[in-house]
Amino acid sequence: MAVCVIAMCSWANKVDRKFYEKASKIVWEMELPQFDSKTQVPDSLYANESAVIIACYRSVDVKRVEQTNISKYSTTLNAYTNAIDCKKVMRVMVKLNDAAAVEKFSEFDIDAKDKESIDSYNVMYTNSAFGARVYKADGRINDVDCGEVFTVTEGKKDKAMQHKIAIPGLEPGDVLEYFYYDEIWLDELDLDPIQFPFFRDYPAMNYTIKCSIDPQLTVEYRAYNGAPLLVGSVEKDGTRILQVETVNLPKTEKGEWQCFARQEPFIDMRVLNNMTKMVYRTPSARRGGVYCGLNSNYYFTDISHILSTIELPIDIVSRATKRAKNFQKAHPEITSRQLIDAAWLAVVYEALLDKDSHSTLSLSLYMADVMRKLKVKEQVSVGVINSRFDVPVTEILHWRDPDYMVMVGDSCYMLGQLCYVPGELPGEYEAEDAAMFYGDRKDYIRQDATVIKMPTTRAAANNARIDMTVSINADDEAILDIERKVKLQGSLKRSAVYIGVSSWVDAVAQYLGVSEKERKKYKEDIDTVEVKNKIEESMKKELQFALCAEPRNLKSYSILSRGVTPDAPACEYVAACDVDGLVKRAGNDMIVSVGKLIGNQIKIEGSERERACGVVRVSAKQTRYVIKFVIPDGYVVNVASLEALNRNVANECGAFYAQATVQDQYLVLQVNERYSRYAEPVERWPKYLQLLDASAEFNDASLVLTKQ
Amino acid sequence: MKNYRLIIIVLFVLVGWQGMMADSNIVITDANEVYTLVADGKGDLSKVKVRKETNYMAQRVAETAIALESFGSHVKIDKASAPGTKPVYKPWISEYVFYDDSKMCVLPIEIENGKQAKAVFEKTYTDVAHFSTIFIPEIYPIQKKTIVIEVPAALASQVKVVEKSLGGNVVKTVKDGGNGKITYFYEASDIPEIKSEEYMPSLSAVAPRLYVTGLFESVDELYQHMRTYTINTEDDLTEINEFSRSLVADCADDMSRIKAIVEWVQNHIRYIAIEHGEYGFRPELASHVFEKRYGDCKGMSALLKAMFRAVGLDARLVWIGTDDISVDWTEVPALSSGDHMICAVMLDGKTLYVDGTAQYMPVGVYPSSIEGQQTIVENGETCIVERVPMIAPEQNADSLSAQMVIDGHNLKGKMKRSLTGMRKMIMAGSYNGKSADRRNDYLIAYLSYPRKNVEIDNVAVEGNTMQSDTAVVEADVIEKEACQHLGDAIYIDLRPVRHPYMEVVNIKDRKNDVKFPGRYNFVSNICVSVPDGFAVDYLPQMAEFENEWVKVKIAYEVKDSAVVCESTATMKRRDVSLADMQQWNALIRKIVAANNEQIVLKRKI
């Protein structure tokens, strides 16, 4: 067993060689018997895999450091270091079976040393090292020298920005072993969240985690989606040890409509420096120790402290209140709900135009304050929620994690994607739990959060209606002239979000009655030509998708309604274009690819037809097309071809329905596509696939016109 | 070579987000660039000093204009200034280059609506070999730009300016200073910003630009300079020699020895581009590439040369510009006229070129990136200037044969695709580059084109090795919804021509010519059995189309109770100028219409 060091001259190498050598010594001397390059990788399990992870080991070692610090005192008047000293290791051994795996594992990026300080007071320091070994099939072992590393620099003085390495001598059949070693020093601050995923692109024969935690630090973690819990023990000096070893983890197949946060096992861990005196902690922040799967009420208590004590600028509230009152004056007949909706629009409007940025937490509290000033009778509550693409709000790990929202009565007000009307819940939050606090803000700390469930909408509430008039061009029978009108409601308005922020501002300003003089001020900062060009480009791309062919000309388009104000809750736009390639000949007959007019339907093929996890989407939804095709003079619709356009596939997941009739000089094609729920369990995947196949097959449907 | 490529790539990258923005808010109202060539005491060009002053204006709203200049080991920034901002020095990072030490000096300038701001850069080319190209367009539209090239008397007789694609918006004057100094003035007006479009040629082929020549008076002089990067006596080739000889031990002739070596290099040496200092021009030692199992085009060529020589072949290094470069070495003898290195074997009085980076391309067939390009072949103290031969489109072929039956609304049967040249290179490269569990998915997508609903089963692939001449893919296919049963009639949508580039180009708003990726040949022979009780009612007539770019023939016949369709589609030329685009589109539309014509069967009475 010869160990050979491949050390080529690297002219652009600025690594800290001593640090790299120290890291190599630490990592390579770890006693980890699972890192055996001769491990038999059983074909029964791993035949046909591009790569197999023989072992993956991750360790996190955190200590708290407290000592006198003159530099810190001279800057902050705080004389003591209160730091986290963290060392992290990730060590991986992988068998590379083909060229694709060699390509994937041949290049690595490494963080450069970094430091932040205020005068001579060091706040933060990080350094990273990388090491690798290649085990050849003939028994040779090649250690990769840090001289192979290239350094990307920036700045006039060529400061290291990032390091990169290409592993030399790597070929299919090799076993590659590599590590990352990180040292992190943070004074008064928390460590960044650490995630331990139990899902991977390649199967893993052994995955081991070991954490060593100073008893004075607070560690809070949670295991999601069936991830194993870490097994805890205590050393003689009080150090907490958390570890787990798992074997034979299968690889994770990636496909459409997956949600890793809800479907794949992982551990999320926070290492918190709760003994800090310089960074805000809630009174309820936990003291040193390890907390696994803490009841969500602890985090809701943290949130109640934040909500009740945070100080926010008052000018947004003042301006929004004034706008709401002006709206009420201009519309004395409005209901309380209409006033509340207008107030929400005013809050978001003011926040968007403000020079500072505002979080969902701020917006929610602004709205609550505006409600108080307007003396609305409806109950006001502020709380937190997560979308279904994140962990449930009852399983968060920090008050910063969730989204903040406000409810007034039964209506929920959230920022969403600037495509919803006030009170409209964005689709990805439907059916999710929310933790709410009621009454005056200062009373939040005296109550437990009330967990409520958000309502679910039916497919009909999230719908798209597309009306089209299609005719064969008088001068060129190969071209179709198309007029298309789209009306989007509910969560389907997301697809038109490209229409942009400035049009949202325009629509809301108009609704609220903002004066022209005022509007002129913000319009000065908007490049209307650029906005128009971007919308036009996006419209062309949408048409290309919607017609399965690039339009030759976008003749005209118009945004009729943005869909963000209560008086016009639907997003509506029209476009006219012409398109080539959808009309074919068969002797004297014409064949029109009408199936393409419902847009490019997703086709699930190959390995993606098998699925191991359920489907998660934004919401239930429904799309209805009404296509009127002008039958050209001298032609009739072939009856059999007309009947062949009719489809009806329905099951518990939804339906795909198409009906074609002739009405006067039109062929009228109505197509309905419905997905009844926002999520389906994996057992229903075959049914779901039936609907997807039906719509994909319809893309190839065509109409035959016979010459009279 | 390197800085030139950097300029192109930077402009392209910035165009990636700028490219769709016609009616740019930021315009360059006027720009003045002065290039001062400095001669040393011996009358040789020793450095080039550059001063650029550019005035930016925000036409409609306040915006941050980006002024930038490249620099690196051969060119330094002496000054970078603009009001209210400080220069930021950033590395150049590309997804195609593993490491590049080139840098950008960026001045982000906040400009109020209707106001102007001036950026000033001063640079010095310390290695004048890397100075030759001056691009006129910028990332913003230019109202007026002046380029001045000052040539001292000592250099006046050797320095020339070669102009390319200037168009009518650039006016040139040359002034004789009386003391022998020559000054070239180029005044450009209303130059549009660089816009990225699908299938456009490289910027170096379309952008108005100037090449300042004279540092190397001839290709031979240039060769002498480039050769200095390749001469070394320090490389220990013992292991390479031994290995190469054992590799070819069973080979009967030179060609099989060449193929065996190329096959090994392409299988075992990963392509990784590293551009750093003179290593942008100096090949890595062959022994290093062999040991590390990676290299760029230069390193791979050095290794190939060493391995070929080890087995007694006369192998040479070759400097070449790919099809991204639109000038010949002889026209512009400068480093910027090349961006690639390959190898050549002198065999039977001919030059056989070998491109180590062209994986899955058999020796003797050249990818479109280098076919027809001028080469500088090392030949001791002098060089040989030649061209890589053009490859007939028939050598880049995709041949489809299928025997199908009508099965309900589907066409069902066996399909075989035989791929050669670039078609093989693309398919085999993509297939083998996928992880094992994704390869089938790739073939399904490949065989389905242009249809959407195709079921593929029992896929078998042969010949997808680096040096095989032909790759063959066979599968059982069901082309769904390819037939319509309408009463007594069956309509069959065959679409025999499945060439990837026979498509209409949208010319509305297009600014640039088109250059398709390659000249390919698509041949199909599809046989569809006529079901019992049916007869052919309508067969599309034979269709033939030809112009200077394409040649297509589609012919149907009835043969032994089957409809047989034979088609060929050949792309003869891959570049179509903007002026010719309508002509291209007109013929393509006819081809598409003919390809879309359907066969009609009718039930026998």
Side-chain angles (χ1 to χ4, degrees):
Chain A
M1 184 176 92
V3 176
C4 153
V5 176
I6 301 177
M8 308 301 172
C9 166
S10 178
W11 336 263
N13 178 296
K14 290 191 174 202
V15 298
D16 182 343
R17 183 170 268 275
K18 265 195 182 157
F19 182 74
Y20 270 59
E21 285 169 358
K22 167 186 148 186
S24 287
K25 193 169 186 328
I26 291 170
V27 176
W28 293 139
E29 287 181 4
M30 285 177 169
E31 294 253 349
L32 297 169
Q34 65 267 41
F35 284 83
D36 179 357
S37 65
K38 294 189 175 57
T39 302
Q40 289 302 311
V41 177
D43 272 349
S44 57
L45 289 175
Y46 304 121
N48 233 20
E49 294 293 349
S50 183
V52 178
I53 294 172
I54 294 170
C56 175
Y57 173 81
R58 290 186 62 184
S59 71
V60 178
D61 188 328
V62 276
K63 291 185 172 46
R64 181 173 172 268
V65 176
E66 183 173 350
Q67 61 198 35
T68 52
N69 188 333
I70 306 293
S71 314
K72 184 174 176 181
Y73 179 75
S74 65
T75 311
T76 68
L77 299 180
N78 185 327
Y80 293 93
T81 290
N82 173 23
I84 289 179
D85 181 2
C86 173
K87 298 189 182 17
K88 291 201 281 185
V89 171
M90 183 172 85
R91 181 173 167 184
V92 179
M93 178 177 269
V94 56
K95 178 129 200 293
L96 308 173
N97 291 330
D98 59 22
V102 169
E103 194 62 39
K104 170 94 184 197
F105 286 97
S106 60
E107 294 172 21
F108 294 87
D109 291 338
I110 309 143
D111 291 338
K113 201 189 305 190
D114 196 13
K115 186 169 94 169
E116 266 180 41
S117 49
I118 304 169
D119 296 329
S120 55
Y121 160 45
N122 292 328
V123 179
M124 183 274 288
Y125 163 86
T126 61
N127 204 356
S128 299
F130 179 88
R133 253 176 201 166
V134 179
Y135 298 82
K136 307 296 286 180
D138 61 8
R140 285 179 296 138
I141 303 172
N142 298 334
D143 259 349
V144 179
D145 186 76
C146 64
E148 281 293 326
V149 172
F150 289 86
T151 302
V152 179
T153 59
E154 63 177 348
K156 209 165 182 193
K157 295 181 183 170
D158 280 336
K159 181 186 166 205
M161 187 177 104
Q162 186 194 46
H163 304 293
K164 307 175 72 145
I165 186 168
I167 306 292
L170 208 58
E171 294 172 299
D174 290 346
V175 171
L176 170 69
E177 187 176 1
Y178 65 91
F179 72 80
Y180 282 96
Y181 173 84
D182 302 307
E183 286 188 357
I184 301 163
W185 168 278
L186 292 167
D187 194 43
E188 305 288 351
L189 300 171
D190 300 328
L191 217 51
D192 282 344
I194 303 171
Q195 280 202 354
F196 299 104
F198 287 81
F199 57 94
R200 310 201 159 273
D201 291 338
Y202 304 99
M205 295 173 70
N206 183 295
Y207 181 32
T208 303
I209 298 166
K210 183 175 178 185
C211 303
S212 165
I213 314 286
D214 188 303
Q216 292 187 316
L217 292 171
T218 306
V219 170
E220 297 176 4
Y221 82 92
R222 211 184 281 282
Y224 294 92
N225 306 318
L229 294 176
L230 300 171
V231 175
S233 60
V234 182
E235 309 260 271
K236 282 188 191 146
D237 62 357
T239 300
R240 272 45 168 184
I241 304 294
L242 300 168
Q243 54 192 337
V244 73
E245 181 177 1
T246 52
V247 296
N248 297 333
L249 288 174
K251 79 173 175 209
T252 308
E253 297 292 349
K254 285 185 183 150
E256 295 279 349
W257 314 301
Q258 280 180 297
C259 172
F260 290 106
R262 300 280 176 110
Q263 293 174 321
E264 299 298 337
F266 68 99
I267 289 174
D268 192 343
M269 176 181 284
R270 311 299 168 93
V271 179
L272 305 170
N273 196 350
N274 282 348
M275 293 183 73
T276 176
K277 291 178 175 42
M278 288 179 62
V279 177
Y280 175 75
R281 298 288 129 151
T282 63
S284 50
R286 272 62 65 194
R287 293 258 172 226
V290 175
Y291 303 86
C292 166
L294 211 52
N295 188 294
S296 55
N297 284 329
Y298 285 92
Y299 300 104
F300 297 153
T301 304
D302 293 343
I303 287 167
S304 70
H305 281 287
I306 297 292
L307 289 174
S308 55
T309 56
I310 193 169
E311 284 181 20
L312 294 170
I314 58 167
D315 50 344
I316 300 271
V317 172
S318 307
R319 294 201 300 265
T321 305
K322 189 175 170 192
R323 287 209 188 281
K325 284 183 175 169
N326 286 346
F327 183 81
Q328 188 176 38
K329 225 188 258 181
H331 304 91
E333 76 289 356
I334 59 169
T335 64
S336 179
R337 178 55 57 193
Q338 286 171 320
L339 175 63
I340 292 165
D341 289 350
W344 172 250
L345 288 174
V347 164
V348 179
Y349 177 88
E350 291 298 335
L352 275 180
L353 294 183
D354 194 50
K355 57 176 170 28
D356 296 323
S357 57
H358 301 273
S359 64
T360 58
L361 189 160
S362 310
L363 287 175
S364 303
L365 291 178
Y366 294 151
M367 179 66 170
D369 285 349
V370 170
M371 291 295 97
R372 195 170 36 80
K373 286 184 184 297
L374 291 175
K375 297 187 173 66
V376 297
K377 293 195 178 57
E378 285 80 349
Q379 185 174 55
V380 179
S381 58
V382 175
V384 289
I385 188 171
N386 264 350
S387 84
R388 78 176 98 272
F389 299 103
D390 202 339
V391 300
V393 80
T394 49
E395 296 179 23
I396 57 173
L397 269 180
H398 197 276
W399 62 264
R400 287 191 201 279
D401 290 352
D403 297 320
Y404 285 73
M405 58 179 262
V406 57
M407 288 190 72
V408 184
D410 288 334
S411 288
C412 162
Y413 296 88
M414 290 189 72
L415 190 56
Q417 287 179 317
L418 289 185
C419 59
Y420 295 100
V421 292
E424 206 169 19
L425 184 67
E428 60 268 38
Y429 295 92
E430 291 179 14
E432 290 298 311
D433 286 334
M436 307 302 296
F437 298 92
Y438 296 85
D440 211 83
R441 224 184 353 133
K442 60 183 186 324
D443 294 330
Y444 291 170
I445 51 176
R446 282 190 276 274
Q447 59 182 273
D448 290 335
T450 304
V451 177
I452 61 173
K453 196 169 273 301
M454 290 290 114
T456 311
T457 54
R458 298 180 61 167
N462 306 300
N463 76 84
R465 163 79 186 236
I466 294 133
D467 289 275
M468 293 169 69
T469 305
V470 182
S471 56
I472 293 177
N473 186 278
D475 299 322
D476 188 337
E477 66 171 35
I479 295 172
L480 289 180
D481 293 322
I482 297 175
E483 286 172 13
R484 191 167 179 268
K485 181 175 174 183
V486 177
K487 182 175 177 180
L488 304 169
Q489 294 182 291
S491 70
L492 292 197
K493 287 189 283 183
R494 285 158 51 104
S495 63
V497 76
Y498 65 79
I499 295 172
V501 172
S502 61
S503 68
W504 185 96
V505 171
D506 277 341
V508 168
Q510 173 123 4
Y511 180 77
L512 292 175
V514 175
S515 70
E516 275 304 323
K517 189 177 165 191
E518 255 201 274
R519 284 199 236 176
K520 209 174 161 191
K521 260 194 259 172
Y522 74 70
K523 281 188 179 181
E524 279 171 1
D525 291 334
I526 297 169
D527 186 350
T528 51
V529 172
E530 183 190 337
V531 166
K532 178 178 172 295
N533 287 340
K534 277 190 180 159
I535 292 176
E536 197 167 300
E537 282 307 314
S538 299
M539 188 71 73
K540 283 182 195 167
K541 282 189 180 134
E542 187 196 316
L543 283 168
Q544 184 170 0
F545 182 84
L547 302 173
C548 302
E550 188 185 350
R552 295 172 76 241
N553 294 299
L554 175 61
K555 296 178 193 170
S556 66
Y557 71 91
S558 175
I559 313 287
L560 304 175
S561 158
R562 187 66 172 76
V564 297
T565 52
D567 59 341
C571 176
E572 293 187 66
Y573 52 94
V574 294
C577 67
D578 54 20
V579 74
D580 214 338
L582 297 185
V583 183
K584 307 172 190 183
R585 273 263 164 215
N588 288 329
D589 297 344
M590 273 203 278
I591 320 274
V592 183
S593 301
V594 293
K596 298 224 185 304
L597 298 174
I598 67 165
N600 203 356
Q601 300 296 310
I602 196 160
K603 173 69 183 159
I604 304 293
E605 291 182 306
S607 56
E608 288 184 352
R609 293 187 70 81
E610 301 297 319
R611 197 170 170 105
C613 61
V615 166
V616 181
R617 297 186 85 154
V618 170
S619 67
K621 63 173 188 166
Q622 179 168 293
T623 307
R624 181 154 185 244
Y625 304 84
V626 178
I627 300 167
K628 278 175 149 175
F629 176 77
V630 178
I631 302 166
D633 290 338
Y635 286 86
V636 293
V637 171
N638 180 292
V639 171
S641 132
L642 183 75
E643 283 165 8
L645 290 175
N646 296 332
R647 309 288 163 101
N648 190 0
V649 176
N651 59 41
E652 60 224 85
C653 293
F656 181 83
Y657 167 84
Q659 186 193 49
T661 53
V662 173
Q663 295 173 19
D664 299 325
Q665 79 270 37
Y666 295 102
L667 161 82
V668 179
L669 177 62
Q670 296 187 70
V671 179
N672 268 20
E673 201 176 3
R674 186 183 79 244
Y675 292 93
S676 303
R677 278 172 290 276
Y678 62 79
E680 299 287 358
V682 66
E683 295 76 31
R684 286 207 204 118
W685 171 244
K687 301 270 189 205
Y688 205 84
L689 200 51
Q690 236 180 7
L691 300 177
L692 294 168
D693 286 345
S695 60
E697 279 171 23
F698 193 78
N699 260 166
D700 282 334
S702 50
L703 174 75
V704 176
L705 300 170
T706 308
K707 197 159 178 71
Q708 281 178 310
Chain B
M1 182 196 296
K2 200 158 63 94
N3 279 321
Y4 165 88
R5 187 194 303 122
L6 170 63
I7 293 166
I8 303 283
I9 294 171
V10 164
L11 293 174
F12 242 124
V13 163
L14 288 165
V15 156
W17 53 266
Q18 288 267 359
M20 290 305 175
M21 284 176 55
D23 310 313
S24 173
N25 176 46
I26 299 286
V27 294
I28 293 171
T29 52
D30 60 279
N32 193 45
E33 295 181 9
V34 180
Y35 297 81
T36 305
L37 280 59
V38 178
D40 62 17
K42 290 186 256 177
D44 292 328
L45 180 63
S46 64
K47 61 183 172 193
V48 179
K49 295 195 78 70
V50 184
R51 180 177 167 85
K52 295 186 181 182
E53 290 183 14
T54 310
N55 276 303
Y56 300 89
M57 184 172 87
Q59 296 190 100
R60 298 183 294 269
V61 295
E63 188 176 331
T64 303
I66 304 294
L68 43 78
E69 275 299 316
S70 60
F71 68 101
S73 47
H74 310 295
V75 53
K76 63 185 177 75
I77 299 278
D78 301 316
K79 177 180 177 173
S81 70
T85 188
K86 283 187 180 160
V88 178
Y89 300 90
K90 286 287 180 193
W92 164 247
I93 296 176
S94 161
E95 64 173 302
Y96 304 113
V97 178
F98 171 74
Y99 175 79
D100 193 321
D101 73 339
S102 301
K103 300 226 182 343
M104 301 301 301
C105 175
V106 181
L107 284 167
I109 313 166
E110 289 184 19
I111 309 179
E112 291 297 314
N113 179 16
K115 302 273 191 250
Q116 293 195 35
K118 181 159 81 173
V120 177
F121 286 101
E122 288 179 4
K123 309 202 299 191
T124 303
Y125 283 84
T126 50
D127 184 344
V128 294
H130 298 273
F131 168 76
S132 65
T133 314
I134 301 170
F135 279 90
I136 295 175
E138 308 242 3
I139 60 171
Y140 301 113
I142 302 169
Q143 290 175 354
K144 190 171 146 225
K145 182 175 189 176
T146 307
I147 293 174
V148 179
I149 304 170
E150 296 175 339
V151 182
L155 300 170
S157 59
Q158 75 190 72
V159 169
K160 299 280 179 287
V161 180
V162 176
E163 298 138 11
K164 287 287 181 186
S165 309
L166 289 193
N169 292 9
V170 183
V171 175
K172 169 189 173 182
T173 46
V174 182
K175 287 189 181 157
D176 188 328
N179 53 359
K181 175 179 167 180
I182 304 282
T183 306
Y184 296 83
F185 293 87
Y186 291 88
E187 295 189 22
S189 55
D190 297 324
I191 303 289
E193 74 270 40
I194 298 155
K195 186 178 175 185
S196 172
E197 294 173 320
E198 195 184 26
Y199 297 140
M200 75 178 264
S202 76
L203 274 178
S204 72
V206 299
R209 62 209 180 276
L210 307 170
Y211 296 96
V212 180
T213 68
L215 173 68
F216 306 106
E217 290 200 40
S218 65
V219 176
D220 267 331
E221 262 191 47
L222 173 64
Y223 165 69
Q224 294 301 331
H225 175 81
M226 293 196 295
R227 189 165 172 256
T228 59
Y229 292 118
T230 68
I231 298 171
N232 73 83
T233 54
E234 294 170 15
D235 202 3
D236 180 1
L237 299 176
T238 313
E239 200 179 341
I240 289 176
N241 291 343
E242 202 177 302
F243 177 80
S244 305
R245 286 166 198 147
S246 71
L247 189 65
V248 305
D250 294 333
C251 295
D253 53 33
D254 283 342
M255 199 58 182
S256 56
R257 280 189 269 276
I258 292 169
K259 286 194 167 199
I261 287 171
V262 174
E263 174 104 30
W264 186 90
V265 167
Q266 290 182 338
N267 269 320
H268 291 90
I269 308 294
R270 289 187 335 265
Y271 177 80
I272 291 182
I274 295 171
E275 309 282 351
H276 174 90
E278 66 167 20
Y279 291 92
F281 299 90
R282 180 186 294 280
E284 178 87 71
L285 293 178
S287 59
H288 287 181
V289 177
F290 185 75
E291 177 100 48
K292 289 196 296 192
R293 294 293 198 263
Y294 69 71
D296 62 4
C297 62
K298 305 182 296 297
M300 289 172 96
S301 298
L303 177 60
L304 280 169
K305 176 185 168 182
M307 292 180 77
F308 287 143
R309 286 191 166 228
V311 302
L313 293 164
D314 179 2
R316 322 277 182 95
L317 293 177
V318 180
W319 291 262
I320 187 172
T322 64
D323 61 347
D324 282 345
I325 307 286
S326 62
V327 290
D328 284 337
W329 296 108
T330 45
E331 190 182 5
V332 178
L335 291 178
S336 60
S337 297
D339 61 350
H340 191 35
M341 181 174 269
I342 58 178
C343 189
V345 177
M346 313 311 275
L347 198 64
D348 301 328
K350 290 188 184 149
T351 310
L352 179 70
Y353 294 102
V354 179
D355 187 343
T357 66
Q359 286 188 319
Y360 299 99
M361 198 68 163
V363 171
V365 186
Y366 304 116
S368 50
S369 55
I370 60 170
E371 64 166 349
Q373 297 295 105
Q374 196 178 56
T375 58
I376 295 177
V377 182
E378 70 172 334
N379 192 38
E381 293 296 319
T382 58
C383 66
I384 303 168
V385 178
E386 289 186 341
R387 259 180 218 288
V388 176
M390 294 292 289
I391 296 299
E394 288 75 11
Q395 286 183 274
N396 297 320
D398 182 347
S399 302
L400 183 161
S401 68
Q403 288 75 45
M404 313 291 270
V405 298
I406 295 171
D407 180 32
H409 292 284
N410 311 324
L411 281 177
K412 179 176 163 180
K414 284 202 162 316
M415 180 189 287
K416 179 176 170 182
R417 301 282 282 270
S418 302
L419 304 152
T420 60
M422 282 202 69
R423 298 310 295 162
K424 177 226 164 188
M425 183 175 112
I426 291 166
M427 191 286 293
S430 300
Y431 176 82
N432 289 299
K434 298 259 181 278
S435 58
D437 56 337
R438 292 284 174 209
R439 285 179 191 160
N440 217 45
D441 290 349
Y442 168 74
L443 283 179
I444 289 171
Y446 186 86
L447 294 172
S448 298
Y449 176 85
R451 295 193 196 277
K452 188 179 182 123
N453 289 294
V454 181
E455 280 180 23
I456 311 266
D457 206 358
N458 297 325
V459 184
V461 184
E462 274 184 20
N464 64 329
T465 57
M466 292 289 181
Q467 285 300 303
S468 67
D469 291 321
T470 308
V472 177
V473 183
E474 292 187 78
D476 295 333
V477 299
I478 302 176
E479 296 188 350
K480 302 181 94 174
E481 301 285 328
C483 303
Q484 283 200 79
H485 288 255
L486 307 172
D488 289 333
I490 302 176
Y491 289 72
I492 304 171
D493 178 16
L494 205 60
R495 291 190 237 174
V497 175
R498 301 180 186 188
H499 195 296
Y501 303 126
M502 299 269 165
E503 55 184 67
V504 168
V505 176
N506 193 336
I507 57 176
K508 187 173 187 280
D509 302 327
R510 190 173 179 102
K511 298 276 188 284
N512 296 294
D513 299 342
V514 158
K515 189 167 189 172
F516 291 106
R519 295 175 307 122
Y520 307 140
N521 209 41
F522 185 88
V523 176
S524 72
N525 181 308
I526 304 174
C527 175
V528 180
S529 301
V530 176
D532 290 338
F534 281 83
V536 175
D537 182 64
Y538 175 78
L539 266 190
Q541 291 199 354
M542 186 182 77
E544 279 189 278
F545 309 94
E546 186 169 9
N547 60 17
E548 62 186 282
W549 298 282
V550 300
K551 184 174 177 180
V552 172
K553 182 176 172 183
I554 307 171
Y556 296 83
E557 64 171 337
V558 179
K559 208 170 166 182
D560 301 328
S561 311
V563 172
V564 177
C565 175
E566 291 188 345
S567 77
T568 55
T570 305
M571 182 167 282
K572 301 188 294 181
R573 267 183 61 185
R574 59 185 181 119
D575 50 299
V576 185
S577 71
L578 197 58
D580 291 331
M581 212 74 76
Q582 276 197 338
Q583 203 184 333
W584 161 272
N585 281 344
L587 192 71
I588 291 297
R589 295 187 71 231
K590 287 181 185 165
I591 293 169
V592 168
N595 195 41
N596 284 341
E597 266 208 88
Q598 306 211 354
I599 302 161
V600 183
L601 309 179
K602 271 247 165 78
R603 193 181 295 279
K604 291 179 190 169
I605 298 166

